[in-house]
Each structure stands twice: as C-alpha cells, then as structure tokens.
Amino acid sequence: IACAQRHLINYKDKFPNQDAAEIIDRRSAAQIELVGKGPLAEAIYRLGVDSGCEFTQQRSCASVVVFVSRAHPRVFEHANSHLCSLPHLHVGARLDSAQIGPLVIPGESSCFRCAQLHHRDSSPDWVGVDLQWRHHANSGESDSILTYQTAAYTLLLLRHWIDGMTITNTAWSATLPWLRFRARPALPHPLCGCQLHTSDFTG
C-alpha cells in the first residue's frame, strides 16, 4: 500500500481520485489467463506469482488473457485469439528480440489482425515471411535475460492497465544488448473491421 501511495503521489495526474488500498484490491481481484508454453510463459507465471498476481485456467474467471508466442515476436501463433471477448495481450520473444502488445480491448482498440494487416502493407512478402517464422517456432529460444526482462515488463504493463492507465493501440519492442523497451503506435487498420461500429474510427 505504501508503494502504491507513493506511485499515486508521483503520477497523480494519471491516476486521479484513487485510493492506494483500492488499487491493491483491484490488483488482487484481477485474474490472468496465460495461453502458451515455453520459457517466456513460465517466466511470466513465476514472476507474476512472486509479485502477487492471480492466475486462472478458466476463461470465465479471467480479467485479461495473455497470449504468448514462440515463433517470432511479430507472429501471433494462436489462431482463435480473435474470438477472445476479454481484454487480451500478445507477448513474443525469440533469440535477441521481443515484442509486447498490442493490448486489445475488443471493440475499443486495435487488434492482432490490425497488426498483421499493417505488416502486410509495409512488407509485400509478409505472408510468406510469417509462414516461414511459424515453421521455425522451435528452432531457437530467446536469451534468458531477454526472457525475464520481457516477462517483467509484461507484468508491469498489466499492472498499469489494472491501475487505470490506457495502454491500448501501442506495442513495445526491445532487442539485445540493452533491452530498452520502446513504445510505438499499433493503430486500428481501416480494412480490419474491428472498429466499424465506433463513430470516431475513420479509414
């Protein structure tokens, strides 16, 4: 509670009218469903448990779903992730690079398909590259320090979101050797259709 109170004092403009005890209660009530296997998923779970996060294997009990990919940081391995009606976050790491995001709030923010369409726009051979990376999913693991740093940053972002900070329409990436996670826009794609019902989305 003391740490949360200090956080409120330092960032009061981003967390208005909130009590430290309420923030701790909200963090304790939030449950995370972790989808995926491998060192990164294991690191997120271990660090999450150590930091007081609650995990569940039941989608109906989850507050947020974390999809962990192993093939490549930009590859979304989970074919049915677009059917997830809960807030969900993509995380991927392999060899010397990692990516976190976007955090998807269905109907309110960009989604995984938006990201894939943006990749296709910027790289005409994206479909072939994506398939090639998927075929090499188990050919190499990420550096151990990268794995733990990515897990820690993922949990930190989730904590910010639970506390009330808006982190949608953004992705964070980092590469060795310094692992500075840098944010970049991950905006809705006009051809995706995930935002068609919103009045402020134009393509």
Side-chain angles (χ1 to χ4, degrees):
I1 291 179
C3 288
Q5 184 62 48
R6 176 184 173 88
H7 189 70
L8 282 169
I9 293 171
N10 289 343
Y11 301 95
K12 190 174 181 180
D13 58 325
K14 295 184 179 179
F15 301 97
N17 303 320
Q18 294 195 67
D19 179 75
E22 292 178 0
I23 288 180
I24 298 300
D25 289 343
R26 192 157 59 243
R27 291 178 184 176
S28 299
Q31 295 194 54
I32 302 168
E33 180 189 359
L34 197 57
V35 180
K37 298 180 179 179
L40 179 55
E42 294 172 4
I44 292 172
Y45 179 78
R46 288 197 301 269
L47 288 173
V49 170
D50 289 344
S51 60
C53 295
E54 295 288 335
F55 290 88
T56 180
Q57 295 181 346
Q58 297 182 359
R59 182 70 51 92
S60 60
C61 297
S63 307
V64 61
V65 182
V66 178
F67 292 99
V68 183
S69 298
R70 299 178 65 179
H72 190 276
R74 293 188 180 183
V75 170
F76 303 96
E77 293 176 6
H78 307 280
N80 294 322
S81 60
H82 65 286
L83 300 176
C84 183
S85 60
L86 296 175
H88 50 281
L89 177 72
H90 172 259
V91 185
R94 185 168 181 265
L95 300 178
D96 65 344
S97 60
Q99 179 169 299
I100 306 169
L103 172 70
V104 180
I105 309 296
E108 298 181 17
S109 69
S110 67
C111 66
F112 296 170
R113 186 168 183 263
C114 291
Q116 296 294 71
L117 289 169
H118 283 301
H119 289 321
R120 188 193 65 181
D121 291 346
S122 61
S123 179
D125 60 344
W126 170 253
V127 174
V129 172
D130 181 272
L131 289 173
Q132 183 178 5
W133 281 338
R134 290 174 189 272
H135 288 318
H136 293 83
N138 297 316
S139 63
E141 297 291 355
S142 62
D143 179 271
S144 295
I145 294 177
L146 173 68
T147 297
Y148 283 103
Q149 189 84 347
T150 304
Y153 206 83
T154 298
L155 292 165
L156 183 63
L157 287 171
L158 287 176
R159 177 181 285 179
H160 282 322
W161 173 70
I162 293 168
D163 290 352
M165 181 179 288
T166 300
I167 62 171
T168 53
N169 299 329
T170 307
W172 295 261
S173 57
T175 58
L176 289 170
W178 292 112
L179 296 182
R180 296 187 183 98
F181 277 91
R182 301 183 185 277
R184 60 175 176 77
L187 301 176
H189 193 282
L191 298 181
C192 180
C194 63
Q195 305 256 311
L196 287 179
H197 65 284
T198 60
S199 59
D200 59 344
F201 177 68
T202 58

